[in-house]
Amino acid sequence: MKEIDCLSNEIYRRYGSVTRARGPFLYTAKNQRLTDMFQENGRAILGWGGGTAFTVLKNVLNRGITGTYRTDFTYRLQKAVSTLLNSDRKIYLFGDKKSAMEAGLNLSPNGTSFYRPWSDASVDWSTVDAAIIEAPMPWTSGTFILAVRDSLEMEVKLTSCQDSFNTIHIPAPVEAAAARSIYNLIQALQEREEKDWFIYDKALIPYWERRGPYLYIRKEVISRETFPKFVCHCLDCGVVINPVYSGTSIVPFGADRGVFSKFLKNPFNPADN
């Protein structure tokens, strides 16, 4: 996506290459710490280490089972997803969100939803026929999980259309890490709440509408035309945001409020740009 390429180029132009990442922060070659609110479009919502998921990935890699054949970790991933959704599930993996959504809609036109943590507490996910989940692993993209309710009715639908699914297989280390990341998410869901997000509102609410940890650009404040300059203004203040106008940025869990001090001292005025 060109917006992400532009963001990467702008970071490099100002601060040099990114040399490491930890929690909600990026560290660059010019010794600059950037507060990351893009978070790989949500995949780094648990931090850049993915909790203990990266450790699990390395441990399984050391076993040498790096092929795409079925292992015990296939079952563990299914069990983790079932625990997250509080219901028995069968899972199918896809290489992109569109394919996963099409397969889900094929099974249940009115019962397919994309799972987003903390986005809607009113949804009872155990009743959703087909949920699409992207495991919170910032260092692995292109894997979407279609979690289908394990019921007789859904089994009949699966049997009739499974041949048309364009599913993929992923190596055992990635399966193991994905399962661990989902268990980490389940724990985070019990620990993170509104008090962890609203503390940054003074800096963020003038430009975004916040729903839980997710930030949506206030279109009456930042127009599509001025948005690229706003992205650069944020970078100048040491803050990385989602470079896509219709996308969402994410509140940096665990960051000190001081990371927005430059942002507060230098408010963005569209009329000046």
Side-chain angles (χ1 to χ4, degrees):
M1 183 175 285
K2 65 178 182 179
E3 292 96 337
I4 297 175
D5 290 337
C6 289
L7 176 66
S8 178
N9 291 336
E10 291 294 338
I11 292 174
Y12 182 80
R13 186 171 67 84
R14 287 168 172 77
Y15 306 115
S17 58
V18 175
T19 57
R20 65 188 179 98
R22 178 177 296 174
F25 300 112
L26 304 175
Y27 299 83
T28 73
K30 294 184 179 180
N31 295 320
Q32 175 72 35
R33 187 183 73 172
L34 304 175
T35 302
D36 180 23
M37 301 201 325
F38 176 45
Q39 299 181 11
E40 287 299 276
N41 211 20
R43 291 198 305 276
I45 196 167
L46 297 184
W48 274 95
T52 54
F54 190 60
T55 301
V56 170
L57 176 77
K58 293 189 291 184
N59 289 342
V60 179
L61 274 173
N62 288 335
R63 299 188 192 182
I65 47 174
T66 56
T68 54
Y69 32 75
R70 189 177 184 87
T71 69
D72 289 344
F73 299 113
T74 307
Y75 168 73
R76 292 186 191 180
L77 179 56
Q78 180 168 295
K79 185 177 179 182
V81 170
S82 296
T83 302
L84 175 67
L85 301 178
N86 197 30
S87 53
D88 291 333
R89 298 280 167 161
K90 291 185 177 179
I91 63 171
Y92 303 88
L93 305 181
F94 294 83
D96 60 87
K97 182 179 178 180
K98 180 181 178 182
S99 297
M101 184 64 72
E102 288 177 348
L105 292 172
N106 193 10
L107 291 170
S108 181
N110 299 314
T112 297
S113 297
F114 187 81
Y115 178 85
R116 205 174 196 191
W118 296 285
S119 63
D120 193 343
S122 65
V123 176
D124 181 358
W125 286 97
S126 67
T127 65
V128 176
D129 287 339
I132 298 161
I133 301 168
E134 187 174 20
M137 300 187 300
W139 25 268
T140 302
S141 61
T143 302
F144 292 84
I145 304 166
L146 176 63
V148 181
R149 254 189 336 123
D150 194 358
S151 66
L152 179 60
E153 178 186 0
M154 292 305 293
E155 182 68 30
V156 172
K157 292 182 179 179
L158 280 171
T159 302
S160 65
C161 67
Q162 191 169 352
D163 290 341
S164 64
F165 283 8
N166 187 25
T167 58
I168 64 170
H169 297 280
I170 58 176
V174 180
E175 281 188 323
R180 183 68 265 167
S181 73
I182 289 174
Y183 282 122
N184 290 341
L185 175 60
I186 292 170
Q187 181 177 349
L189 287 168
Q190 299 168 352
E191 297 172 348
R192 302 183 188 185
E193 52 188 328
E194 176 66 15
K195 66 179 178 61
D196 298 306
W197 301 313
F198 85 86
I199 59 174
Y200 309 101
D201 279 358
K202 182 179 179 181
L204 303 177
I205 290 305
Y207 310 104
W208 288 276
E209 176 189 349
R210 183 176 62 78
R211 304 173 200 165
Y214 300 104
L215 300 167
Y216 301 80
I217 280 290
R218 292 185 181 275
K219 293 180 171 55
E220 72 277 12
V221 177
I222 307 293
S223 69
R224 186 178 294 273
E225 291 70 29
T226 59
F227 181 68
K229 293 181 179 179
F230 179 62
V231 173
C232 290
H233 174 81
C234 292
L235 279 181
D236 291 336
C237 295
V239 176
V240 180
I241 68 170
N242 193 322
V244 179
Y245 186 64
S246 59
T248 56
S249 294
I250 300 172
V251 176
F253 175 80
D256 186 271
R257 280 177 286 184
V259 299
F260 294 114
S261 59
K262 187 181 293 187
F263 196 65
L264 285 166
K265 291 176 183 177
N266 299 277
F268 180 75
N269 185 351
D272 294 338
N273 292 271

Short mmCIF file of all heavy atoms in Angstrom, two decimals, residues 70 74-93 104 107-108 111-115 123-133 145-152 154-155 158 182:
data_model
loop_
_atom_site.label_atom_id
_atom_site.label_comp_id
_atom_site.label_asym_id
_atom_site.label_seq_id
_atom_site.Cartn_x
_atom_site.Cartn_y
_atom_site.Cartn_z
N ARG A 70 0.65 -31.14 9.11
CA ARG A 70 -0.14 -31.02 10.34
C ARG A 70 0.68 -31.47 11.54
O ARG A 70 1.34 -32.50 11.53
CB ARG A 70 -1.41 -31.85 10.22
CG ARG A 70 -2.40 -31.62 11.36
CD ARG A 70 -3.67 -32.44 11.12
NE ARG A 70 -4.66 -32.16 12.15
CZ ARG A 70 -5.54 -31.17 12.07
NH1 ARG A 70 -5.55 -30.39 11.01
NH2 ARG A 70 -6.43 -30.98 13.04
N THR A 74 -1.47 -27.37 15.28
CA THR A 74 -2.71 -27.09 14.55
C THR A 74 -3.89 -27.17 15.51
O THR A 74 -4.77 -26.29 15.51
CB THR A 74 -2.89 -28.08 13.40
OG1 THR A 74 -1.72 -28.09 12.58
CG2 THR A 74 -4.10 -27.73 12.55
N TYR A 75 -3.90 -28.21 16.32
CA TYR A 75 -4.97 -28.38 17.30
C TYR A 75 -4.91 -27.29 18.37
O TYR A 75 -5.93 -26.76 18.80
CB TYR A 75 -4.88 -29.75 17.96
CG TYR A 75 -5.77 -29.90 19.17
CD1 TYR A 75 -7.16 -30.02 19.01
CD2 TYR A 75 -5.24 -29.89 20.45
CE1 TYR A 75 -7.99 -30.13 20.12
CE2 TYR A 75 -6.06 -29.99 21.56
CZ TYR A 75 -7.43 -30.11 21.39
OH TYR A 75 -8.25 -30.21 22.48
N ARG A 76 -3.70 -26.93 18.78
CA ARG A 76 -3.56 -25.90 19.82
C ARG A 76 -4.10 -24.55 19.35
O ARG A 76 -4.70 -23.81 20.12
CB ARG A 76 -2.09 -25.77 20.23
CG ARG A 76 -1.55 -26.98 20.96
CD ARG A 76 -0.14 -26.73 21.46
NE ARG A 76 0.47 -27.97 21.92
CZ ARG A 76 1.71 -28.06 22.42
NH1 ARG A 76 2.44 -26.95 22.52
NH2 ARG A 76 2.20 -29.22 22.81
N LEU A 77 -3.88 -24.25 18.09
CA LEU A 77 -4.40 -23.00 17.55
C LEU A 77 -5.92 -23.02 17.54
O LEU A 77 -6.58 -22.04 17.91
CB LEU A 77 -3.86 -22.77 16.14
CG LEU A 77 -4.34 -21.51 15.42
CD1 LEU A 77 -4.05 -20.26 16.24
CD2 LEU A 77 -3.70 -21.40 14.04
N GLN A 78 -6.50 -24.14 17.15
CA GLN A 78 -7.96 -24.26 17.14
C GLN A 78 -8.51 -24.13 18.56
O GLN A 78 -9.54 -23.47 18.79
CB GLN A 78 -8.36 -25.61 16.54
CG GLN A 78 -9.87 -25.84 16.50
CD GLN A 78 -10.23 -27.03 15.63
OE1 GLN A 78 -10.02 -27.03 14.43
NE2 GLN A 78 -10.77 -28.07 16.25
N LYS A 79 -7.83 -24.74 19.52
CA LYS A 79 -8.28 -24.66 20.91
C LYS A 79 -8.19 -23.24 21.44
O LYS A 79 -9.08 -22.76 22.16
CB LYS A 79 -7.43 -25.60 21.78
CG LYS A 79 -7.89 -25.68 23.23
CD LYS A 79 -7.05 -26.67 24.02
CE LYS A 79 -7.52 -26.72 25.49
NZ LYS A 79 -6.68 -27.67 26.28
N ALA A 80 -7.11 -22.52 21.08
CA ALA A 80 -6.96 -21.14 21.52
C ALA A 80 -8.08 -20.26 20.97
O ALA A 80 -8.65 -19.43 21.69
CB ALA A 80 -5.60 -20.60 21.08
N VAL A 81 -8.41 -20.44 19.70
CA VAL A 81 -9.48 -19.67 19.08
C VAL A 81 -10.82 -19.99 19.74
O VAL A 81 -11.63 -19.10 20.01
CB VAL A 81 -9.53 -19.94 17.56
CG1 VAL A 81 -10.79 -19.34 16.94
CG2 VAL A 81 -8.28 -19.38 16.88
N SER A 82 -11.06 -21.26 20.03
CA SER A 82 -12.30 -21.66 20.69
C SER A 82 -12.41 -21.03 22.07
O SER A 82 -13.50 -20.59 22.49
CB SER A 82 -12.37 -23.19 20.81
OG SER A 82 -12.40 -23.81 19.53
N THR A 83 -11.30 -20.95 22.77
CA THR A 83 -11.29 -20.32 24.10
C THR A 83 -11.58 -18.82 23.98
O THR A 83 -12.36 -18.26 24.77
CB THR A 83 -9.93 -20.53 24.78
OG1 THR A 83 -9.66 -21.94 24.88
CG2 THR A 83 -9.92 -19.93 26.17
N LEU A 84 -10.97 -18.17 23.00
CA LEU A 84 -11.19 -16.74 22.79
C LEU A 84 -12.66 -16.43 22.53
O LEU A 84 -13.21 -15.46 23.06
CB LEU A 84 -10.33 -16.25 21.62
CG LEU A 84 -10.53 -14.79 21.19
CD1 LEU A 84 -10.05 -13.84 22.28
CD2 LEU A 84 -9.80 -14.52 19.88
N LEU A 85 -13.29 -17.27 21.71
CA LEU A 85 -14.68 -17.03 21.31
C LEU A 85 -15.69 -17.74 22.22
O LEU A 85 -16.90 -17.66 21.97
CB LEU A 85 -14.89 -17.47 19.86
CG LEU A 85 -14.00 -16.77 18.82
CD1 LEU A 85 -14.26 -17.33 17.42
CD2 LEU A 85 -14.21 -15.26 18.84
N ASN A 86 -15.17 -18.44 23.22
CA ASN A 86 -16.03 -19.11 24.19
C ASN A 86 -17.03 -20.06 23.54
O ASN A 86 -18.20 -20.13 23.91
CB ASN A 86 -16.77 -18.08 25.05
CG ASN A 86 -17.36 -18.68 26.32
OD1 ASN A 86 -16.81 -19.64 26.88
ND2 ASN A 86 -18.47 -18.14 26.78
N SER A 87 -16.53 -20.80 22.54
CA SER A 87 -17.38 -21.75 21.82
C SER A 87 -16.50 -22.67 20.99
O SER A 87 -15.40 -22.30 20.58
CB SER A 87 -18.38 -21.02 20.91
OG SER A 87 -17.71 -20.11 20.05
N ASP A 88 -16.97 -23.89 20.77
CA ASP A 88 -16.21 -24.84 19.97
C ASP A 88 -16.15 -24.37 18.53
O ASP A 88 -17.18 -24.04 17.93
CB ASP A 88 -16.83 -26.24 20.04
CG ASP A 88 -16.68 -26.86 21.43
OD1 ASP A 88 -15.70 -26.49 22.12
OD2 ASP A 88 -17.52 -27.69 21.81
N ARG A 89 -14.94 -24.37 17.95
CA ARG A 89 -14.74 -23.85 16.61
C ARG A 89 -13.90 -24.80 15.76
O ARG A 89 -13.05 -25.52 16.27
CB ARG A 89 -14.03 -22.49 16.66
CG ARG A 89 -14.81 -21.41 17.39
CD ARG A 89 -15.89 -20.82 16.53
NE ARG A 89 -16.83 -20.00 17.29
CZ ARG A 89 -17.61 -19.09 16.73
NH1 ARG A 89 -17.56 -18.87 15.44
NH2 ARG A 89 -18.46 -18.41 17.47
N LYS A 90 -14.16 -24.75 14.46
CA LYS A 90 -13.25 -25.32 13.48
C LYS A 90 -12.60 -24.14 12.78
O LYS A 90 -13.26 -23.13 12.52
CB LYS A 90 -14.00 -26.21 12.49
CG LYS A 90 -14.51 -27.50 13.12
CD LYS A 90 -15.13 -28.41 12.08
CE LYS A 90 -15.58 -29.72 12.74
NZ LYS A 90 -16.22 -30.63 11.75
N ILE A 91 -11.32 -24.26 12.48
CA ILE A 91 -10.63 -23.11 11.91
C ILE A 91 -10.08 -23.43 10.52
O ILE A 91 -9.72 -24.56 10.21
CB ILE A 91 -9.49 -22.61 12.82
CG1 ILE A 91 -8.40 -23.68 12.98
CG2 ILE A 91 -10.04 -22.18 14.17
CD1 ILE A 91 -7.15 -23.16 13.69
N TYR A 92 -10.04 -22.38 9.69
CA TYR A 92 -9.50 -22.45 8.34
C TYR A 92 -8.64 -21.20 8.15
O TYR A 92 -9.01 -20.11 8.58
CB TYR A 92 -10.63 -22.51 7.30
CG TYR A 92 -11.55 -23.68 7.54
CD1 TYR A 92 -12.65 -23.55 8.40
CD2 TYR A 92 -11.32 -24.92 6.96
CE1 TYR A 92 -13.49 -24.62 8.66
CE2 TYR A 92 -12.15 -26.01 7.21
CZ TYR A 92 -13.23 -25.85 8.06
OH TYR A 92 -14.04 -26.91 8.33
N LEU A 93 -7.50 -21.37 7.52
CA LEU A 93 -6.55 -20.27 7.37
C LEU A 93 -6.56 -19.74 5.95
O LEU A 93 -6.63 -20.51 4.98
CB LEU A 93 -5.14 -20.74 7.74
CG LEU A 93 -4.98 -21.36 9.14
CD1 LEU A 93 -3.53 -21.75 9.38
CD2 LEU A 93 -5.47 -20.42 10.22
N GLY A 104 -16.49 -16.94 4.80
CA GLY A 104 -17.42 -16.82 5.91
C GLY A 104 -18.82 -16.45 5.46
O GLY A 104 -19.81 -17.03 5.92
N LEU A 107 -20.71 -19.27 4.05
CA LEU A 107 -21.26 -20.17 5.06
C LEU A 107 -22.43 -19.54 5.81
O LEU A 107 -23.43 -20.20 6.10
CB LEU A 107 -20.17 -20.55 6.06
CG LEU A 107 -19.04 -21.44 5.55
CD1 LEU A 107 -17.92 -21.52 6.56
CD2 LEU A 107 -19.57 -22.83 5.23
N SER A 108 -22.27 -18.25 6.15
CA SER A 108 -23.30 -17.59 6.95
C SER A 108 -23.38 -16.12 6.54
O SER A 108 -22.67 -15.27 7.10
CB SER A 108 -22.95 -17.71 8.44
OG SER A 108 -23.95 -17.09 9.23
N GLY A 111 -24.13 -13.97 9.52
CA GLY A 111 -23.48 -14.31 10.78
C GLY A 111 -21.97 -14.34 10.69
O GLY A 111 -21.33 -15.14 11.38
N THR A 112 -21.40 -13.48 9.84
CA THR A 112 -19.95 -13.42 9.68
C THR A 112 -19.45 -12.04 10.11
O THR A 112 -19.97 -11.02 9.65
CB THR A 112 -19.54 -13.68 8.22
OG1 THR A 112 -19.94 -15.01 7.86
CG2 THR A 112 -18.04 -13.55 8.03
N SER A 113 -18.47 -12.01 11.00
CA SER A 113 -17.94 -10.74 11.50
C SER A 113 -16.43 -10.83 11.69
O SER A 113 -15.89 -11.91 11.95
CB SER A 113 -18.58 -10.38 12.85
OG SER A 113 -19.97 -10.18 12.73
N PHE A 114 -15.78 -9.67 11.55
CA PHE A 114 -14.34 -9.58 11.81
C PHE A 114 -14.13 -9.28 13.28
O PHE A 114 -14.68 -8.32 13.81
CB PHE A 114 -13.71 -8.49 10.94
CG PHE A 114 -12.21 -8.45 11.03
CD1 PHE A 114 -11.43 -9.33 10.30
CD2 PHE A 114 -11.58 -7.54 11.86
CE1 PHE A 114 -10.05 -9.30 10.38
CE2 PHE A 114 -10.20 -7.49 11.96
CZ PHE A 114 -9.43 -8.39 11.21
N TYR A 115 -13.34 -10.12 13.95
CA TYR A 115 -13.11 -9.96 15.38
C TYR A 115 -12.06 -8.88 15.63
O TYR A 115 -10.96 -8.92 15.09
CB TYR A 115 -12.63 -11.27 16.00
CG TYR A 115 -12.34 -11.16 17.48
CD1 TYR A 115 -13.35 -11.29 18.41
CD2 TYR A 115 -11.05 -10.89 17.94
CE1 TYR A 115 -13.10 -11.17 19.76
CE2 TYR A 115 -10.79 -10.76 19.29
CZ TYR A 115 -11.82 -10.90 20.20
OH TYR A 115 -11.56 -10.77 21.54
N VAL A 123 -21.06 -7.61 21.86
CA VAL A 123 -21.17 -8.77 20.99
C VAL A 123 -20.88 -10.05 21.76
O VAL A 123 -19.86 -10.16 22.45
CB VAL A 123 -20.18 -8.66 19.80
CG1 VAL A 123 -20.23 -9.93 18.95
CG2 VAL A 123 -20.51 -7.45 18.95
N ASP A 124 -21.78 -11.02 21.66
CA ASP A 124 -21.54 -12.35 22.23
C ASP A 124 -20.94 -13.21 21.12
O ASP A 124 -21.65 -13.74 20.27
CB ASP A 124 -22.86 -12.96 22.73
CG ASP A 124 -22.67 -14.33 23.35
OD1 ASP A 124 -21.52 -14.83 23.36
OD2 ASP A 124 -23.67 -14.93 23.79
N TRP A 125 -19.61 -13.32 21.11
CA TRP A 125 -18.93 -13.99 20.01
C TRP A 125 -19.22 -15.48 19.95
O TRP A 125 -19.03 -16.11 18.90
CB TRP A 125 -17.43 -13.72 20.10
CG TRP A 125 -17.10 -12.32 19.69
CD1 TRP A 125 -16.92 -11.25 20.50
CD2 TRP A 125 -16.99 -11.83 18.35
NE1 TRP A 125 -16.70 -10.11 19.75
CE2 TRP A 125 -16.73 -10.44 18.43
CE3 TRP A 125 -17.07 -12.44 17.09
CZ2 TRP A 125 -16.55 -9.65 17.30
CZ3 TRP A 125 -16.89 -11.64 15.96
CH2 TRP A 125 -16.63 -10.27 16.07
N SER A 126 -19.69 -16.05 21.04
CA SER A 126 -20.02 -17.48 21.02
C SER A 126 -21.20 -17.77 20.10
O SER A 126 -21.40 -18.91 19.66
CB SER A 126 -20.32 -17.98 22.43
OG SER A 126 -21.51 -17.39 22.94
N THR A 127 -21.99 -16.73 19.78
CA THR A 127 -23.17 -16.92 18.93
C THR A 127 -22.90 -16.55 17.47
O THR A 127 -23.77 -16.74 16.62
CB THR A 127 -24.34 -16.07 19.44
OG1 THR A 127 -24.02 -14.67 19.30
CG2 THR A 127 -24.63 -16.36 20.90
N VAL A 128 -21.73 -16.00 17.17
CA VAL A 128 -21.39 -15.60 15.81
C VAL A 128 -20.95 -16.83 15.02
O VAL A 128 -20.01 -17.53 15.41
CB VAL A 128 -20.27 -14.54 15.81
CG1 VAL A 128 -19.84 -14.20 14.39
CG2 VAL A 128 -20.75 -13.28 16.54
N ASP A 129 -21.63 -17.11 13.92
CA ASP A 129 -21.37 -18.33 13.15
C ASP A 129 -19.93 -18.40 12.64
O ASP A 129 -19.27 -19.44 12.74
CB ASP A 129 -22.33 -18.43 11.95
CG ASP A 129 -23.74 -18.79 12.36
OD1 ASP A 129 -23.91 -19.34 13.47
OD2 ASP A 129 -24.67 -18.52 11.59
N ALA A 130 -19.46 -17.32 12.07
CA ALA A 130 -18.13 -17.31 11.45
C ALA A 130 -17.40 -16.03 11.84
O ALA A 130 -17.81 -14.94 11.45
CB ALA A 130 -18.24 -17.43 9.94
N ALA A 131 -16.33 -16.17 12.61
CA ALA A 131 -15.54 -15.02 13.04
C ALA A 131 -14.19 -15.06 12.35
O ALA A 131 -13.56 -16.11 12.25
CB ALA A 131 -15.36 -15.04 14.56
N ILE A 132 -13.76 -13.90 11.87
CA ILE A 132 -12.45 -13.79 11.20
C ILE A 132 -11.50 -13.11 12.17
O ILE A 132 -11.78 -12.02 12.67
CB ILE A 132 -12.56 -13.01 9.89
CG1 ILE A 132 -13.50 -13.75 8.95
CG2 ILE A 132 -11.20 -12.82 9.25
CD1 ILE A 132 -14.05 -12.90 7.84
N ILE A 133 -10.37 -13.76 12.43
CA ILE A 133 -9.43 -13.30 13.43
C ILE A 133 -8.05 -13.14 12.80
O ILE A 133 -7.60 -14.02 12.04
CB ILE A 133 -9.35 -14.31 14.60
CG1 ILE A 133 -10.72 -14.48 15.25
CG2 ILE A 133 -8.31 -13.87 15.63
CD1 ILE A 133 -10.80 -15.65 16.21
N ILE A 145 -7.62 -16.11 10.21
CA ILE A 145 -8.26 -17.33 10.72
C ILE A 145 -9.77 -17.19 10.60
O ILE A 145 -10.35 -16.24 11.14
CB ILE A 145 -7.87 -17.58 12.19
CG1 ILE A 145 -6.35 -17.63 12.35
CG2 ILE A 145 -8.53 -18.85 12.70
CD1 ILE A 145 -5.89 -17.54 13.80
N LEU A 146 -10.39 -18.11 9.89
CA LEU A 146 -11.85 -18.19 9.85
C LEU A 146 -12.27 -19.23 10.87
O LEU A 146 -11.97 -20.41 10.72
CB LEU A 146 -12.34 -18.57 8.46
CG LEU A 146 -13.87 -18.78 8.32
CD1 LEU A 146 -14.62 -17.48 8.60
CD2 LEU A 146 -14.22 -19.31 6.93
N ALA A 147 -12.94 -18.78 11.93
CA ALA A 147 -13.36 -19.67 13.01
C ALA A 147 -14.85 -19.92 12.89
O ALA A 147 -15.67 -19.02 13.10
CB ALA A 147 -13.02 -19.04 14.36
N VAL A 148 -15.21 -21.15 12.53
CA VAL A 148 -16.60 -21.51 12.25
C VAL A 148 -17.18 -22.28 13.43
O VAL A 148 -16.54 -23.19 13.97
CB VAL A 148 -16.68 -22.36 10.97
CG1 VAL A 148 -18.13 -22.71 10.66
CG2 VAL A 148 -16.05 -21.61 9.80
N ARG A 149 -18.39 -21.90 13.83
CA ARG A 149 -19.04 -22.59 14.94
C ARG A 149 -19.19 -24.07 14.66
O ARG A 149 -19.61 -24.47 13.58
CB ARG A 149 -20.42 -21.98 15.20
CG ARG A 149 -20.44 -21.13 16.43
CD ARG A 149 -21.78 -20.66 16.91
NE ARG A 149 -22.83 -20.58 15.94
CZ ARG A 149 -24.00 -21.23 16.06
NH1 ARG A 149 -24.20 -22.03 17.08
NH2 ARG A 149 -24.94 -21.07 15.17
N ASP A 150 -18.83 -24.87 15.65
CA ASP A 150 -18.86 -26.33 15.50
C ASP A 150 -20.26 -26.84 15.84
O ASP A 150 -20.56 -27.16 16.99
CB ASP A 150 -17.82 -26.96 16.43
CG ASP A 150 -17.56 -28.42 16.10
OD1 ASP A 150 -18.21 -28.92 15.18
OD2 ASP A 150 -16.71 -29.03 16.75
N SER A 151 -21.12 -26.87 14.82
CA SER A 151 -22.48 -27.35 15.01
C SER A 151 -22.88 -28.20 13.82
O SER A 151 -22.26 -28.16 12.76
CB SER A 151 -23.45 -26.18 15.17
OG SER A 151 -23.53 -25.44 13.96
N LEU A 152 -23.94 -28.99 13.98
CA LEU A 152 -24.39 -29.86 12.89
C LEU A 152 -24.78 -29.05 11.67
O LEU A 152 -24.43 -29.39 10.54
CB LEU A 152 -25.58 -30.71 13.37
CG LEU A 152 -26.18 -31.67 12.32
CD1 LEU A 152 -25.12 -32.66 11.86
CD2 LEU A 152 -27.38 -32.39 12.90
N MET A 154 -23.70 -26.06 10.70
CA MET A 154 -22.52 -25.53 10.02
C MET A 154 -21.72 -26.64 9.37
O MET A 154 -21.08 -26.44 8.34
CB MET A 154 -21.65 -24.76 11.02
CG MET A 154 -22.29 -23.48 11.53
SD MET A 154 -22.79 -22.35 10.19
CE MET A 154 -21.19 -21.89 9.53
N GLU A 155 -21.74 -27.82 9.94
CA GLU A 155 -21.02 -28.96 9.36
C GLU A 155 -21.58 -29.29 7.98
O GLU A 155 -20.83 -29.58 7.04
CB GLU A 155 -21.13 -30.18 10.28
CG GLU A 155 -20.37 -31.41 9.80
CD GLU A 155 -18.87 -31.21 9.84
OE1 GLU A 155 -18.39 -30.45 10.70
OE2 GLU A 155 -18.18 -31.82 9.00
N LEU A 158 -20.37 -26.63 5.61
CA LEU A 158 -18.94 -26.79 5.33
C LEU A 158 -18.70 -27.90 4.32
O LEU A 158 -17.90 -27.76 3.39
CB LEU A 158 -18.18 -27.11 6.63
CG LEU A 158 -17.86 -25.94 7.54
CD1 LEU A 158 -17.32 -26.43 8.87
CD2 LEU A 158 -16.81 -25.05 6.89
N ILE A 182 -2.80 -15.64 20.85
CA ILE A 182 -4.24 -15.55 21.16
C ILE A 182 -4.47 -15.75 22.65
O ILE A 182 -5.31 -15.07 23.26
CB ILE A 182 -5.02 -16.56 20.31
CG1 ILE A 182 -5.03 -16.08 18.84
CG2 ILE A 182 -6.45 -16.72 20.82
CD1 ILE A 182 -5.65 -17.03 17.88
#
